[in-house]
């Protein structure tokens, strides 16, 4: 601001409190003793104001027009883009930021409050900590390379795979163990908590077998690599996709709006 404007503000302040704050001599200006004391109060006031702003920031962020949502990399195959598009048609002022990670990473991010809503396909041992809404189920299938010894199989029981090396995460590990444990078999597991496309690429190069939802496996085969083998299972295993949030943490208004919209949207798709 201009010097004349500053001078007017100073004079108005001195008139308001009835005390001269500045000593003016020739072309120099210094603080009076009262001005020095006033300066300390002013600094404290500014600090208190800044502290108040920081303290209220958490409430401001709750009503932010941008909401962040964690998603597993396979959600795009289940209509995530269409869901976001339909949501924006109805709520144009609410922007959505998507963070794509593996299932385990998303659960960790939730616990660290990096976001409050997420799409996952396994809640593991976190069921007591999460408010989870099941959206849909998808049958699991086995995926191998086209050179695998199971090439001629159209359907297989997991009990026949005891000597196979697995590529996958802890979720798949637990599924196999539940079958093989009863047969006293112990699988060789490669824990690879990575993107689904990476798992499929490894499997296509004879790096073991994996289990995946049928929709995901078929999309990969049709659009990326036709040289993989998809084998149905005798065993009745399926993957469930959930929309989750931490139970003891209140969602913001806009997060609640999105959650309600998503639940109705998927329910409509299924029906």
């Amino acid at each position: 601001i201009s010097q004349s404007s500053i001078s007017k503000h100073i004079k108005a302040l001195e008139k308001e409190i009835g005390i001269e704050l500045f000593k003016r001599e020739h072309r120099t200006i210094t603080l009076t003793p009262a001005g020095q004391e006033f300066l300390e109060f002013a600094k404290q006031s500014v600090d208190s104001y800044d502290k108040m702003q920081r303290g209220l920031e958490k409430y401001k962020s709750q009503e932010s027009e941008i909401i962040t949502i964690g998603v597993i990399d396979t959600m795009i195959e289940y209509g995530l883009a269409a869901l976001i598009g339909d949501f924006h048609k109805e709520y144009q002022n609410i922007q959505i930021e998507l963070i794509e990670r593996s299932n385990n990473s998303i659960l960790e991010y939730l616990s660290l409050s990096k976001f409050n809503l997420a799409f996952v396909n396994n809640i593991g041992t976190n069921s007591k900590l999460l408010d989870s809404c099941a959206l849909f189920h998808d049958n699991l299938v086995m995926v191998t390379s086209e050179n695998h010894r199971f090439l001629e199989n159209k359907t297989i029981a997991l009990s026949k795979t005891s000597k196979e090396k697995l590529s996958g995460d802890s979720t798949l590990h637990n599924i196999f163990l539940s079958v093989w444990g009863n047969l006293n078999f112990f699988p060789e597991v490669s824990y690879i908590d990575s993107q689904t496309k990476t798992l499929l690429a490894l499997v296509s190069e004879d790096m073991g077998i994996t289990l995946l939802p049928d929709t995901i496996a078929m999309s990969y085969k049709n659009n990326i690599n036709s040289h993989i083998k998809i084998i149905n299972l005798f065993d009745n295993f399926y993957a469930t996709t959930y929309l989750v949030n931490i139970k003891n943490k209140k969602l913001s208004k806009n997060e609640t709006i999105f959650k309600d919209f998503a639940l109705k949207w998927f329910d409509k798709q299924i029906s």
Side-chain angles (χ1 to χ4, degrees):
I1 60 177
S2 65
Q3 182 177 339
S4 60
S5 179
I6 293 175
S7 297
K8 289 179 182 179
H9 281 297
I10 290 175
K11 290 179 180 179
L13 177 61
E14 290 178 327
K15 183 178 179 180
E16 179 183 345
I17 63 178
I19 300 174
E20 188 179 54
L21 300 176
F22 292 92
K23 185 178 181 180
R24 302 166 181 83
E25 292 181 345
H26 305 295
R27 293 186 178 182
T28 62
I29 182 170
T30 58
L31 287 172
T32 64
Q36 289 283 0
E37 188 167 341
F38 183 87
L39 176 60
E40 295 306 314
F41 283 112
K43 289 179 178 179
Q44 293 175 20
S45 296
V46 171
D47 289 342
S48 295
Y49 181 80
D50 290 342
K51 184 177 180 181
M52 178 271 291
Q53 289 280 62
R54 292 192 296 271
L56 294 178
E57 189 66 29
K58 58 179 178 291
Y59 300 104
K60 181 180 178 181
S61 63
Q62 286 182 358
E63 301 306 324
S64 171
E65 293 184 346
I66 300 177
I67 57 176
T68 303
I69 302 171
V71 296
I72 49 177
D73 64 320
T74 54
M75 275 304 298
I76 197 67
E77 304 295 345
Y78 295 110
L80 178 65
L83 165 64
I84 301 300
D86 289 345
F87 181 79
H88 277 160
K89 290 176 184 176
E90 191 165 338
Y91 300 97
Q92 297 181 9
N93 294 329
I94 304 178
Q95 300 301 312
I96 297 176
E97 177 187 20
L98 300 178
I99 297 181
E100 185 179 287
R101 294 289 186 274
S102 66
N103 195 91
N104 291 343
S105 294
I106 288 177
L107 294 176
E108 181 181 358
Y109 275 34
L110 273 172
S111 67
L112 296 174
S113 298
K114 292 189 176 181
F115 43 70
N116 297 322
L117 274 176
F119 293 98
V120 298
N121 58 13
N122 174 45
I123 56 179
T125 59
N126 299 283
S127 57
K128 294 182 179 180
L129 302 176
L130 298 175
D131 182 6
S132 58
C133 301
L135 301 177
F136 52 84
H137 306 293
D138 198 353
N139 289 330
L140 288 175
V141 294
M142 182 181 297
V143 182
T144 72
S145 73
E146 63 177 355
N147 300 317
H148 197 275
R149 66 188 183 97
F150 294 146
L151 180 62
E152 302 302 322
N153 294 72
K154 293 183 178 180
T155 307
I156 195 170
L158 284 186
S159 58
K160 302 294 184 181
T161 64
S162 58
K163 297 181 180 180
E164 297 300 316
K165 183 177 182 180
L166 312 181
S167 291
D169 56 20
S170 57
T171 304
L172 298 182
H173 178 238
N174 291 335
I175 290 175
F176 278 93
L177 277 184
S178 67
V179 175
W180 289 344
N182 295 327
L183 303 174
N184 292 321
F185 287 124
F186 297 93
E188 180 184 355
V189 182
S190 298
Y191 291 98
I192 307 172
D193 187 23
S194 58
Q195 304 292 62
T196 303
K197 289 182 180 178
T198 302
L199 291 176
L200 282 164
L202 290 170
V203 168
S204 67
E205 295 296 327
D206 291 325
M207 298 290 289
I209 62 177
T210 192
L211 292 185
L212 284 177
D214 188 31
T215 300
I216 308 306
M218 287 302 301
S219 176
Y220 185 87
K221 182 178 179 67
N222 293 334
N223 299 305
I224 299 178
N225 187 350
S226 60
H227 302 297
I228 60 170
K229 173 70 175 178
I230 298 175
I231 305 173
N232 293 321
L233 300 173
F234 282 122
D235 313 81
N236 187 24
F237 292 116
Y238 59 86
T240 303
T241 298
Y242 303 88
L243 179 57
V244 301
N245 58 274
I246 300 293
K247 280 184 178 180
N248 61 358
K249 186 167 185 179
K250 184 179 180 180
L251 295 176
S252 70
K253 177 183 176 181
N254 288 340
E255 287 169 339
T256 301
I257 289 174
F258 178 83
K259 179 179 179 179
D260 293 342
F261 185 93
L263 293 178
K264 293 176 182 177
W265 191 90
F266 279 106
D267 185 62
K268 185 177 179 180
Q269 305 309 307
I270 295 173
S271 61

